[in-house]
Amino acid sequence: MENWHTQSAEATKESLGSGNNGLSSSEAQKRLAIYGHNELLDRGGKNPLRMLWEQFTQTMVLILIAAAVISAFLGKDLETIAIMAIVVLFGVLGFVQEYRAEKAMAALKRMVVPTVRARRNGSVQEVSARDLVPGDIVLLEAGNVVPADMRVLESANLRVQEAALTGESEAIEKQTAALSKPDMPIGDRTNMVYLGTNVAHGRGVALVVGTGMQTELGKIADLLQEVETKQTPLQQKLDQLGKLLAILGFVAAAMMLILGVLTGEPLEDMFLTAVSLAVAVVPEGLPAVVTITLAIGAQRMLTRHALMRKLPAVETLGSVTIICSDKTGTLTENRMTVTTVNLQDEVIEFTPGESINAPQKANLALAIGMLCNDSLLSTNSDGEPDIIGDPTEGALLIAANRAGMQKEKLEELLPRVHEQPFDSTRKRMTTVHKVTAAFPSDALQFTPQASYFACTKGAVDSLLKIADKVWINGQTEPLSEEWHEQLLQTNNQLAQKGMRVLGLAFRELQEPANHGNSIEDKLTFAGMVGIIDPPRAAVKSAVATCRTAGIRPIMITGDHPLTAAAIAHELRITENPEALTGEMLNNLSEAELEEVVSRVSIYARVSPEDKLRIVEMLQKKGDIVAMTGDGVNDSPALKTANIGVAMGITGTDVAKEASDMVLLDDNFATIVAAVEEGRVIYDNLIRFVKFSLGGNLGKVLVMLCTPLLGMPIALTPLQLLWLNLLTDGLMGLGLGTEPPEADTMNRAPRSPDSALLSKKDIAYISWSGVLIAIITLGMGILYFDPTNPEDLRWQTMIFATLGFAQIGNAFGLRAYGYTPFSFRSNPLFILMAVLTFGLQLAAIYAPFLDKFFGLPALTLSELALSMGAGVVTMLAVMLETRFYKKKKATNHN
Ligand code: ATP
C-alpha cells in the first residue's frame, strides 16, 4: 500500500485522478466494478455447520438421541425411527429458525450502513458508504464514523477518535500537510483518517485512498471474525428450565418403570415406555420457538420503524420502566420555522407562508444567521425549499431568503475563512469571514472597520456571557445590566411559548484567528430569533400509553427550560411543571439527585455528561431505562442505558453504533410501539411454556395413574411421541405468534429479575395438567372393560382426549381480547390447529397408521365426547384468564 501520508494533498488527488469536483458518476461506477463495495467481509456470522451441530448437541436433543439408541438396542425399530424422526425434525426446525434469525439480524445490521456526503460531478451528494471508491472526496463532520481510509484535504478543528485502531482514546487533531517518515505508526499519521474511527469534533474534507478489505481495519478484520453471540437472559432462563425438566423427566421415567414392573409388565416394554415418557416431559419445541419468536419480533418491530441492533434488547424492551427522550425531532417534528425576529427595539413577525417586508435593519441579524450556517437549501419537486443539513440552520436560511438574501451571494462577498463548529456543551458556533473589497458597505446597515467579520449564533444565555455590546438600529451600545435583563426576559417570553430561541452576534477582527485567545469573546449582540417546532402528532397519545403502561416518560433536552416545559405541558408528559437545568443538576449531591430524579421529569440545557448522570441514578434506583441520543457525545449514556436508542434520521453514526435500537423515523411513538412488541414477545414465550408444561404434566399423570387404578399402561411409546410432536411442535409454534393482548399496555412492566414463571403461571401449569389428567382418566375408566382387556377403545379414548384437551388448552390460552377462534389475529395458529386436528383424526381412523398406533376407531359419538373434553379444557382456561384480568382491573380502580 502506498504511503499516502508522505505525499502532499495535491499529489494524492492527482495520483487518484480526482479533481476539485470529485469523481464523475461514471468513473465512480467503473471503480466500483474494480475495487468492489466498501465493506468488510462478513464477520461475526455463525457458521451454518456449527449452527447445525449445536442443534444436535442440546441437552434435550441428547436425551432423545439416547432414547433412540436404547430402543434400537431393544430391537424396537418403529420406536427408534419415530424418535429419530423427532430428533431430525426438531433439529432441522431449530436450525432453520436460527439460520433465519441470524440472516434477519445480519440484514438488520446492514441497514445501518451510513450514508456519507461525497463530492461527485461537482456537487455534494449523499452516497451510501458501501459505494465509496478510491478517489472519492468525502465531507466529514463531528459524529461521522470515518467510512474509508482517507487522506485529509481540509481540516476545521477536525479531531478523530481512533481507539478502534490504535487503542488511544484521546481524539487526535488532524491536519493536511505531508509528513516525512514513510513508516510512521498509524496513530501518528495526522493527515490520514481511517475506516471505523470516529470524528469527535470539527469538520473536514478527505480523499478516499482505500476501501473495504484494503483498509487498515480490513487488514485486521480476520481477527474480529469470532464474535461470540451471547445467549439473552431469557434464553438462559429457558435453558435452565430445560435442564430442570430433563431431571424431572428422568424421575417420572424411573417411577413409570418401577410402577410398570410392579404391575407385571415386561421390563423391556416398560423401559421404552419410561423413555418415551421422559421425552414427553421435555419441551423439544422450546429452543425453536424462542429463536423464532425473538427474530420475528425484531422483524415486526422493523415494520413499526424500530430497528433492533442487538437481540437481547428485544426482550429487555418489555421491562422498560422509564423512557428518557430528547425533545427536538423525537417529541417534536424537527420542522423548524422562524416566526419572530427580535431586534431589541423592534419585533418582526414572520407569518408562515406570507412574504415579508423586513426593514433593512433586520438584515444584519439575518445575515449572521445565514453566514454562520452549514446548511444548504435546494428546491424540491413542489417548488418548496428543502433543507440539507441541520433544520435549525435551515430555518434561518429560509427566513433570510424570505427577506431577499441569497447564501451564495453573501458568501462571495464575505467568504468563510475560519470556524468554531457547534457543540452541545458550548451551545453556540462561530464562523469568521473575510470582508472582500466588493462588499457594499451599506448592505447590512453596517460598515465593517476591520478585515474580518466573525458571526456567532447560539443559545441566548450562552451568548450573553460573552457579549459586551448590543446593536440597536445601526449603533452599538454597551451591554448594560438593564439590557442584559431585558434580553433574557425577551428570551424567556419566546421560550415560554415553546419556541427555540437563537441569539445572533458578531465581532470584527483584524486577523482571522485570534492567536490563542477565543474569538468567541467581546461580541456585539445583534438580535434573536424565535423558532417554532410543533410537537409530533402521534406523540401525545404515545405519552398517554406510556403512562397507562407504567412507564414514566422523561424529557431531556439541550433547549431552554421554558421551551422544554412548554412542550412537555402540551404533550402531558408530567403533572410536575418543574424543569431542572444541567447547571442545577451539577450543584446537587448524590442524595439530592436521587430524590430529584424520582420527582422531576423535565431536564433542560443538559450536557451529554448530565444525561449519563441521570441514567446512572435512575438505574441505581432500580429502573430499566431506555434513553435516546443523537450526538457524538451521547455514546456513553446510550451504552449505559438498558436500551440505548439512536435516531435513524438525524442521529450520528457514532450514536447509532453505541445503540441497541435505532428509530428509523426518529419518533418517540416508535419507542412505545417497540416496548409493546417487546411485551408481546415475552407473553408469547411464557404462553408457550405454560401450554407445553401443563399438557406434559397431564400426560405424565395419566401415564403414572393407570397402573395405580388397576388398568394397563395408558399409551404406547409411539402414541406418546406422536401426541408430543403434535402439541409441543405444531400447536406450540402457532401459539408463539399471537398478537398483543387487550391489556398489553395497561399493565406494569415486568421486572427483569423476576423468575421466568410467576406463582400464577406455576399454579396454571399445575391445575391445567391435573384437569387434563382427570378428564382423560375419566374417559379411560368409562371405557375400560376389565372383563375384555382385548378391547382397546379405552386407549383410543385416552389418546383422543389427551390430544383434543391440549388443542382446547391452546385455544383457551390465546391472546386476551380476541375470540378464541379469531383467524385474522394469528392465521398460523388456526392453520396449526387444523393440521393438528387432522393428524389426530388420521392417527385414529387412517388404516395405514394402524400398524404404528394400533388404535381402534371411535364411533362418532365417542369422538364427540372426547372432543367435548377439549371444549371443557378451553372454557376452564378462558374462565381462569378472565377471572384474573377482572380481578386486576378491579384492583386498579
Ligand atoms: P434535544 O436534546 O431536545 O434534541 P437538541 O439536541 O436540539 O435538543 P442542542 O442541539 O444541544 O439541543 O441545542 C442546544 C441549544 O443550542 C439550543 O437550544 C440552541 O439554542 C443552540 N443551538 C442548537 N443548534 C444550534 C446551531 N446549529 N448553532 C448554534 N446554536 C445552536
Side-chain angles (χ1 to χ4, degrees):
M1 201 173 283
E2 293 184 53
N3 279 320
W4 301 106
H5 64 283
T6 56
Q7 300 187 18
S8 74
E10 276 312 310
T12 326
K13 273 206 300 203
E14 218 159 90
S15 60
L16 285 170
S18 151
N20 283 340
N21 288 343
L23 299 177
S24 65
S25 302
S26 58
E27 180 60 28
Q29 209 58 39
K30 257 190 237 153
R31 293 192 188 188
L32 194 62
I34 300 170
Y35 296 101
H37 282 291
N38 176 29
E39 57 195 359
L40 299 182
L41 294 183
D42 199 7
R43 60 178 149 108
K46 248 196 199 171
N47 173 335
L49 273 179
R50 180 154 162 211
M51 241 188 251
L52 196 61
W53 169 250
E54 279 176 6
Q55 295 301 327
F56 290 102
T57 48
Q58 290 181 14
T59 325
M60 297 186 197
V61 179
L62 287 178
I63 296 174
L64 286 176
I65 294 177
V69 172
I70 293 171
S71 49
F73 268 115
L74 294 175
K76 303 279 185 183
D77 294 344
L78 275 181
E79 281 80 359
T80 312
I81 294 169
I83 300 177
M84 280 319 288
I86 293 189
V87 169
V88 172
L89 198 77
F90 280 112
V92 170
L93 195 69
F95 169 73
V96 171
Q97 306 296 33
E98 195 171 334
Y99 188 74
R100 274 180 53 191
E102 188 86 14
K103 281 268 165 288
M105 280 318 279
L108 290 186
K109 274 192 197 141
R110 268 200 302 278
M111 289 187 62
V112 245
V113 173
T115 52
V116 297
R117 298 209 288 167
R119 203 175 288 152
R120 284 200 183 158
N121 305 320
S123 66
V124 175
Q125 301 176 357
E126 295 258 335
V127 179
S128 162
R130 261 186 100 227
D131 296 335
L132 283 183
V133 290
D136 261 325
I137 293 179
V138 174
L139 277 58
L140 292 173
E141 62 184 10
N144 286 161
V145 167
V146 175
D149 283 4
M150 302 193 274
R151 171 72 167 81
V152 180
L153 303 179
E154 280 173 38
S155 162
N157 296 331
L158 183 69
R159 286 212 293 274
V160 179
Q161 207 262 21
E162 300 182 325
L165 271 186
T166 62
E168 169 64 54
S169 59
E170 194 75 12
I172 309 284
E173 180 97 37
K174 296 291 173 181
Q175 52 87 37
T176 54
L179 300 168
S180 54
K181 287 196 215 131
D183 51 358
M184 276 179 144
I186 289 178
D188 293 345
R189 299 185 188 183
T190 51
N191 57 8
M192 295 287 296
V193 290
Y194 294 98
L195 172 66
T197 59
N198 301 328
V199 181
H201 189 81
R203 249 172 14 92
V205 177
L207 177 74
V208 175
V209 296
T211 58
M213 293 308 278
Q214 274 87 49
T215 57
E216 294 296 328
L217 191 67
K219 284 190 205 158
I220 58 166
D222 287 341
L223 301 177
L224 306 173
Q225 293 278 347
E226 280 298 302
V227 181
E228 185 98 24
T229 20
K230 270 208 283 185
Q231 276 194 327
T232 72
L234 183 64
Q235 280 175 323
Q236 282 166 8
K237 281 187 198 164
L238 287 170
D239 218 40
Q240 280 164 8
L241 177 73
K243 293 203 170 107
L244 176 72
L245 288 173
I247 296 171
L248 288 181
F250 187 76
V251 173
M255 283 166 65
M256 185 82 245
L257 189 70
I258 295 167
L259 269 175
V261 173
L262 286 183
T263 50
E265 300 282 341
L267 181 64
E268 221 172 73
D269 289 356
M270 274 326 293
F271 204 81
L272 211 55
T273 310
V275 168
S276 313
L277 191 64
V279 171
V281 173
V282 176
E284 298 85 359
L286 195 54
V289 169
V290 176
T291 326
I292 196 63
T293 312
L294 288 177
I296 285 186
Q299 274 172 340
R300 271 225 302 249
M301 288 182 186
L302 186 62
T303 61
R304 300 180 79 170
H305 308 295
L307 189 152
M308 304 310 298
R309 294 189 64 246
K310 294 178 189 152
L311 209 48
V314 178
E315 63 183 67
T316 315
L317 266 172
S319 312
V320 163
T321 57
I322 289 193
I323 304 178
C324 294
S325 173
D326 285 344
K327 174 181 70 66
T328 314
T330 316
L331 296 170
T332 66
E333 287 186 3
N334 214 359
R335 215 161 30 84
M336 306 265 177
T337 317
V338 172
T339 57
T340 302
V341 179
N342 189 298
L343 299 170
Q344 290 67 262
D345 61 338
E346 185 169 348
V347 180
I348 302 154
E349 299 294 342
F350 276 51
T351 320
E354 287 174 23
S355 66
I356 49 147
N357 211 351
Q360 206 199 4
K361 69 176 177 186
N363 285 359
L364 178 64
L366 291 171
I368 294 173
M370 190 167 238
L371 287 167
C372 182
N373 199 314
D374 287 326
S375 291
L376 298 171
L377 291 183
S378 68
T379 312
N380 66 18
S381 48
D382 303 331
E384 297 288 319
D386 253 352
I387 297 167
I388 306 173
D390 178 13
T392 305
E393 297 192 341
L396 293 172
L397 290 187
I398 292 176
N401 260 351
R402 291 179 65 200
M405 286 182 220
Q406 301 298 331
K407 191 174 187 209
E408 298 76 38
K409 284 200 190 129
L410 201 57
E411 279 185 337
E412 254 170 50
L413 301 172
L414 296 164
R416 189 191 291 192
V417 288
H418 186 66
E419 67 196 54
Q420 287 193 3
F422 171 74
D423 74 54
S424 46
T425 314
R426 271 166 47 250
K427 296 193 171 35
R428 56 179 182 256
M429 107 178 223
T430 298
T431 53
V432 182
H433 303 261
K434 184 167 175 42
V435 182
T436 58
F439 183 73
S441 59
D442 58 345
L444 303 178
Q445 208 194 33
F446 164 72
T447 319
Q449 307 294 324
S451 319
Y452 295 94
F453 181 67
C455 303
T456 304
K457 75 175 192 310
V460 172
D461 32 334
S462 150
L463 290 198
L464 288 181
K465 282 185 198 146
I466 48 171
D468 60 2
K469 292 179 274 317
V470 56
W471 179 255
I472 298 152
N473 199 14
Q475 308 291 325
T476 43
E477 273 185 29
L479 186 76
S480 60
E481 280 288 314
E482 290 75 46
W483 269 120
H484 198 107
E485 199 43 45
Q486 187 177 331
L487 292 174
L488 277 183
Q489 253 184 30
T490 314
N491 179 32
N492 290 354
Q493 278 161 8
L494 295 176
Q496 247 157 6
K497 295 185 197 158
M499 284 186 188
R500 156 170 287 211
V501 190
L502 275 190
L504 304 158
F506 68 92
R507 176 177 183 187
E508 294 198 73
L509 294 166
Q510 293 304 343
E511 301 282 336
N514 207 18
H515 304 298
N517 296 325
S518 173
I519 300 167
E520 292 178 339
D521 194 17
K522 303 195 175 69
L523 304 184
T524 306
F525 192 89
M528 63 182 100
V529 290
I531 302 176
I532 53 164
D533 176 19
R536 282 177 181 269
V539 167
K540 199 162 168 181
S541 66
V543 167
T545 309
C546 262
R547 299 180 73 185
T548 59
I551 301 169
R552 194 176 133 210
I554 291 184
M555 177 196 277
I556 303 187
T557 174
D559 236 328
H560 193 280
L562 291 173
T563 312
I567 302 279
H569 177 73
E570 197 167 341
L571 292 170
R572 308 249 182 291
I573 286 194
T574 167
E575 267 88 51
N576 179 3
E578 238 178 309
L580 281 198
T581 62
E583 217 172 294
M584 293 167 168
L585 286 182
N586 285 336
N587 295 328
L588 297 181
S589 69
E590 284 295 285
E592 285 166 332
L593 182 67
E594 184 168 352
E595 189 272 326
V596 158
V597 293
S598 37
R599 187 165 49 84
V600 177
S601 298
I602 311 171
Y603 299 90
R605 289 285 187 245
V606 176
S607 69
E609 296 77 47
D610 301 328
K611 268 189 170 180
L612 182 62
R613 228 178 130 210
I614 296 172
V615 177
E616 281 174 345
M617 186 48 85
L618 289 169
Q619 285 179 329
K620 195 171 144 203
K621 290 168 51 54
D623 278 305
I624 307 293
V625 186
M627 158 83 80
T628 67
D630 48 11
V632 54
N633 300 333
D634 285 335
S635 297
L638 289 180
K639 281 192 184 140
T640 306
N642 303 77
I643 305 275
V645 185
M647 300 297 132
I649 304 171
T650 56
T652 56
D653 307 335
V654 177
K656 286 180 198 163
E657 293 238 315
S659 70
D660 302 289
M661 167 173 140
V662 178
L663 297 183
L664 297 180
D665 57 359
D666 287 11
N667 193 338
F668 176 83
T670 301
I671 312 178
V672 183
V675 167
E676 179 175 3
E677 289 294 343
R679 290 187 175 190
V680 171
I681 287 168
Y682 198 84
D683 282 355
N684 276 336
L685 288 175
I686 297 299
R687 198 187 312 265
F688 172 79
V689 172
K690 280 163 71 176
F691 163 75
S692 179
L693 297 194
N696 290 352
L697 177 65
K699 278 180 228 147
V700 172
L701 289 177
V702 169
M703 290 298 286
L704 290 177
C705 285
T706 52
L708 293 177
L709 292 170
M711 293 154 70
I713 302 298
L715 297 172
T716 67
L718 277 184
Q719 291 164 358
L720 250 183
L721 292 173
W722 173 262
L723 281 179
N724 198 32
L725 193 66
L726 289 194
T727 52
D728 263 11
L730 300 181
M731 294 302 298
L733 270 187
L735 265 187
T737 49
E738 280 287 286
E741 305 214 320
D743 69 341
T744 300
M745 292 304 268
N746 280 331
R747 43 177 137 109
R750 165 185 58 86
S751 156
D753 300 329
S754 59
L756 180 67
L757 296 172
S758 66
K759 282 198 191 112
K760 212 180 85 195
D761 297 332
I762 295 173
Y764 173 84
I765 292 167
S766 313
W767 78 250
S768 64
V770 170
L771 177 73
I772 293 175
I774 291 176
I775 300 178
T776 311
L777 284 171
M779 296 288 181
I781 294 169
L782 198 66
Y783 278 81
F784 182 64
D785 180 359
T787 58
N788 184 9
E790 296 300 308
D791 179 3
L792 288 179
R793 266 182 324 143
W794 70 275
Q795 195 172 45
T796 315
M797 280 308 279
I798 285 192
F799 177 83
T801 309
L802 263 179
F804 292 133
Q806 197 49 346
I807 297 178
N809 188 9
F811 272 99
L813 273 172
R814 291 192 71 189
Y816 173 67
Y818 299 87
T819 60
F821 301 106
S822 150
F823 176 79
R824 281 194 27 211
S825 67
N826 183 2
L828 181 71
F829 176 85
I830 299 292
L831 193 79
M832 290 298 174
V834 171
L835 193 65
T836 310
F837 187 74
L839 287 169
Q840 185 71 355
L841 289 186
I844 300 171
Y845 292 105
F848 68 93
L849 288 175
D850 260 1
K851 77 168 185 289
F852 294 98
F853 299 120
L855 290 167
L858 298 178
T859 64
L860 262 186
S861 54
E862 287 162 351
L863 181 69
L865 190 62
S866 63
M867 282 166 56
V871 176
V872 171
T873 315
M874 179 181 87
L875 292 177
V877 175
M878 286 172 64
L879 266 180
E880 192 240 23
T881 321
R882 272 149 192 71
F883 169 73
Y884 272 115
K885 302 275 183 197
K886 267 260 164 59
K887 205 165 110 182
K888 218 173 77 199
T890 352
N891 284 350
H892 260 286
N893 294 338

